[in-house]
Amino acid sequence: MHYSAVSLPSETLLMSEKFISREIFIGNLPLGNSHPVRIQSMTNTPTLNTKATVEQIIRLVEAGCDMIRITAANIREAENLKNIRDKLMEKEIDIPLIADIHFQPKAAEIAAGIVEKVRINPGNYSGSHHKNKQYSEAGYQAELEQTSQNLKPLLHICKQHNTAIRIGINHGSLSDRILYKYGNTPRGMVASAMEFIRICRENHFEDLILSLKASDVRTMIEANRFMVREMLKNKMNYPLHLGVTEAGNGTEGRIKSAMGIGTLLADGIGNTIRVSLTEAPEKEIPVAQKLIEFYGHSQQVSVVQTSYVSYGDIPENQQSDMVLIDEKKTISPENSLLLLSYPDLPYNDLVLRAPVDFNLAYEKKKADSLLLVNGPASNGESLRELTLQILQARGLRYSKTEFVACPSCGRTHFDIEKELNKVKYRLGNVKGLKIAVMGCFVNGPGEMAGADYGFVGSAPGKIDLYKGQTILFKNLPEEEALNQLETLIRK
Ligand code: SF4
């Protein structure tokens, strides 16, 4: 089978052609085509703790989750998916389960006989773990062939059991092979997906979902648009799963997730979404529901008035709420101002709408400054703060520490939400600094997204501290790790 090489330009592309995916089934749940956008989340209980995992799944189902992912880090965890499934059936809960696999093809093969979908990461399915490895063309092809051989048993089992596969590409954990040829770029992410699609199609396996995730919102949007264009070029139409990784918690996590997922849903891209928050997984579901309500159907709910005006034209009492997008510029009456006005929108909805509406408007036409106007519910100070957070999420203006934090899963060794809040409290106001708080040392360091410092769970109650990708301290008790991190940064 032949596909054209990935050759798209590197700037963000706006979608012009409509993309309609094929329909596939995750167990009994149809996905893609004209079906509603499906909501999913992931448990963060230890997978071997059947009781706690089942209880969390029940809470997620009650909140409105359509599919649930569970980490299967090894063979024992993969086998325990059967106990989780049986307990759910005893309680008459028939929800599609997804096994999340990293590094262990054997765990994927066991899980594929139990659950409805398996998520694999091509970046760690290839078998090569040599940083900065050099490849000849022949060496590249040989490794690809080996990857194909590694994948075949899983494809065979999935076919036997009607189990779907998500090819889950993460910016930050691409294979050495892809990094060598394309770098850590949206183009590399698309090339990685295309390699795995080709292997699946050569083996007549088509029940695929694709995801291209990144913690950087623009990279995530760009990668998904590239992917859709590449599929259209090659006459493919696999459904897409959307998510912004390591978005963090609170307003910051909601803004990043909304901007990435909402922008693509507004493009007509995305068949299933996961809002990753470093909070209890149930809290992700209302956010996902709102994003689908606002952007997930062909007719968008229009509550915003968007206009470009000059600074001199806005009433004096609103001028102090306006935020310059480039802080080095000075305010002048000729500045063009993007005005997003939401007369009646509750503040919690504004946090999800304004990032998307701003991004969609700014992609079409740049402006010098942004002004959010909301009814009497929110005051000028909270709107100014929200505006700054939106600009930071879009990578346009940095006004405080940037945090990346994973949502945690069954591999997490500590209370990540609590630790993230402590780190934020102590180090939240260092402009231009990026700190990662990650739940495990297996995937955490690879997915820290260029953070200056990493605070990574290594064992129960223990933290590894990183500067960039270099480990500085291993297995520090949590409190000591926080003090040490502060000392390093304050220096
Ligand atoms: S980085 Fe976080 S979400 Fe990813 S595998 Fe580790 S604990 Fe789980």
Side-chain angles (χ1 to χ4, degrees):
M1 210 168 282
H2 175 76
Y3 304 110
S4 57
V6 176
S7 59
L8 292 155
S10 60
E11 73 270 20
T12 297
L13 294 166
L14 302 178
M15 293 305 301
S16 52
E17 206 172 330
K18 198 163 166 50
F19 175 75
I20 298 173
S21 86
R22 66 172 58 204
E23 175 191 72
I24 69 162
F25 279 82
I26 316 296
N28 296 323
L29 184 76
L31 176 87
N33 201 277
S34 58
H35 296 292
V37 178
R38 307 296 186 190
I39 296 171
Q40 56 179 291
S41 182
M42 186 167 181
T43 55
N44 61 4
T45 48
T47 303
L48 292 178
N49 188 337
T50 307
K51 184 170 180 293
T53 304
V54 167
E55 284 171 0
Q56 193 170 65
I57 290 172
I58 293 171
R59 289 197 293 278
L60 281 165
V61 172
E62 284 170 353
C65 196
D66 297 311
M67 291 180 266
I68 290 161
R69 185 155 47 114
I70 307 169
T71 194
N74 51 44
I75 289 169
R76 275 185 70 211
E77 289 191 1
E79 286 170 346
N80 200 51
L81 295 171
K82 167 119 184 37
N83 294 329
I84 294 168
R85 154 74 70 235
D86 290 347
K87 283 281 171 228
L88 289 169
M89 292 315 275
E90 270 173 29
K91 293 175 190 292
E92 298 183 354
I93 296 173
D94 185 10
I95 182 141
L97 298 181
I98 305 157
D100 195 63
I101 308 289
H102 291 268
F103 298 111
Q104 288 231 15
K106 196 71 205 154
E109 289 159 26
I110 292 166
I114 302 169
V115 296
E116 286 72 24
K117 181 170 141 194
V118 173
R119 181 260 167 161
I120 54 170
N121 178 351
N124 46 41
Y125 217 85
S126 304
S128 160
H129 306 293
H130 304 286
K131 278 210 164 123
N132 304 320
K133 186 173 170 184
Q134 306 282 308
Y135 286 85
S136 64
E137 191 48 37
Y140 191 100
Q141 291 306 329
E143 189 174 298
L144 192 52
E145 179 52 33
Q146 186 56 53
T147 303
S148 169
Q149 294 305 324
N150 294 345
L151 200 57
K152 271 185 185 169
L154 176 64
L155 297 178
H156 179 68
I157 296 168
C158 286
K159 263 195 266 184
Q160 277 182 327
H161 293 269
N162 292 324
T163 307
I165 292 180
R166 167 155 70 99
I167 301 176
I169 316 285
N170 274 10
H171 186 243
S173 63
L174 299 175
S175 68
D176 301 322
R177 185 175 70 244
I178 290 289
L179 287 174
Y180 174 75
K181 198 160 178 176
Y182 300 94
N184 192 18
T185 59
R187 188 181 304 222
M189 295 167 76
V190 173
S192 179
M194 292 303 287
E195 283 184 356
F196 268 60
I197 293 172
R198 181 179 58 75
I199 295 168
C200 292
R201 289 175 72 136
E202 280 171 358
N203 288 279
H204 310 289
F205 186 85
E206 296 278 1
D207 290 335
L208 293 174
I209 301 108
L210 313 176
S211 69
L212 296 95
K213 297 192 181 185
S215 63
D216 176 72
V217 174
R218 285 187 70 197
T219 304
M220 174 267 188
I221 294 171
E222 196 171 338
N224 280 281
R225 286 176 175 162
F226 271 20
M227 189 71 241
V228 168
R229 285 174 181 270
E230 199 63 14
M231 281 202 275
L232 288 168
K233 200 165 81 179
N234 286 289
K235 304 209 176 338
M236 296 173 181
N237 58 356
Y238 298 107
L240 280 153
H241 161 132
L242 306 180
V244 175
T245 54
E246 291 95 32
N249 64 350
T251 307
E252 189 179 352
R254 283 162 177 76
I255 288 173
K256 285 190 201 168
S257 290
M259 192 182 282
I261 294 171
T263 297
L264 288 164
L265 287 178
D267 274 355
I269 296 173
N271 307 97
T272 172
I273 64 172
R274 194 241 168 144
V275 173
S276 302
L277 295 176
T278 313
E279 298 178 21
E282 306 88 279
K283 297 216 180 137
E284 297 174 357
I285 310 306
V287 179
Q289 286 166 333
K290 278 286 175 189
L291 290 176
I292 293 169
E293 178 192 329
F294 289 143
Y295 302 104
H297 304 286
S298 42
Q299 76 286 7
Q300 290 173 35
V301 181
S302 184
V303 292
V304 61
Q305 294 157 13
T306 309
S307 47
Y308 289 84
V309 293
S310 79
Y311 174 63
D313 291 339
I314 57 169
E316 227 167 84
N317 65 345
Q318 288 180 346
Q319 288 181 356
S320 60
D321 298 338
M322 183 211 71
V323 177
L324 273 170
I325 293 173
D326 178 353
E327 63 181 318
K328 289 188 220 86
K329 284 197 174 170
T330 45
I331 295 173
S332 80
E334 290 75 43
N335 282 166
S336 94
L337 173 80
L338 173 54
L339 173 68
L340 298 179
S341 175
Y342 303 85
D344 305 313
L345 198 67
Y347 185 77
N348 286 346
D349 289 355
L350 180 71
V351 165
L352 304 177
R353 287 280 333 226
V356 185
D357 297 333
F358 166 71
N359 192 45
L360 291 169
Y362 193 77
E363 281 182 339
K364 289 194 185 107
K365 189 175 168 200
K366 305 271 181 285
D368 298 309
S369 46
L370 172 62
L371 175 63
L372 297 183
V373 176
N374 188 215
S378 42
N379 61 38
E381 201 181 315
S382 64
L383 287 177
R384 232 186 104 75
E385 176 60 25
L386 178 60
T387 309
L388 284 167
Q389 287 184 296
I390 290 170
L391 296 179
Q392 181 151 329
R394 181 57 167 70
L396 289 166
R397 176 174 173 174
Y398 292 88
S399 48
K400 56 184 192 145
T401 313
E402 172 83 5
F403 285 98
V404 292
C406 79
S408 83
C409 69
R411 295 169 191 256
T412 312
H413 294 298
F414 63 116
D415 183 340
I416 191 166
E417 187 181 357
K418 199 169 102 203
E419 289 304 315
L420 173 62
N421 285 332
K422 281 193 202 168
V423 180
K424 275 188 166 180
Y425 182 72
R426 297 263 283 266
L427 296 160
N429 283 316
V430 191
K431 199 169 151 179
L433 184 77
K434 193 171 186 179
I435 301 177
V437 179
M438 306 297 280
C440 78
F441 66 93
V442 183
N443 292 316
E447 300 197 359
M448 289 195 298
D452 300 298
Y453 292 92
F455 190 92
V456 179
S458 55
K462 296 286 166 59
I463 303 294
D464 288 348
L465 275 190
Y466 285 74
K467 182 166 191 202
Q469 283 292 307
T470 309
I471 188 160
L472 297 182
F473 297 97
K474 274 191 155 186
N475 287 327
L476 292 179
E478 286 171 13
E479 206 51 40
E480 195 183 330
L482 186 54
N483 292 337
Q484 194 58 255
L485 180 64
E486 184 165 13
T487 309
L488 284 169
I489 291 168
R490 299 285 176 212
K491 259 185 191 170

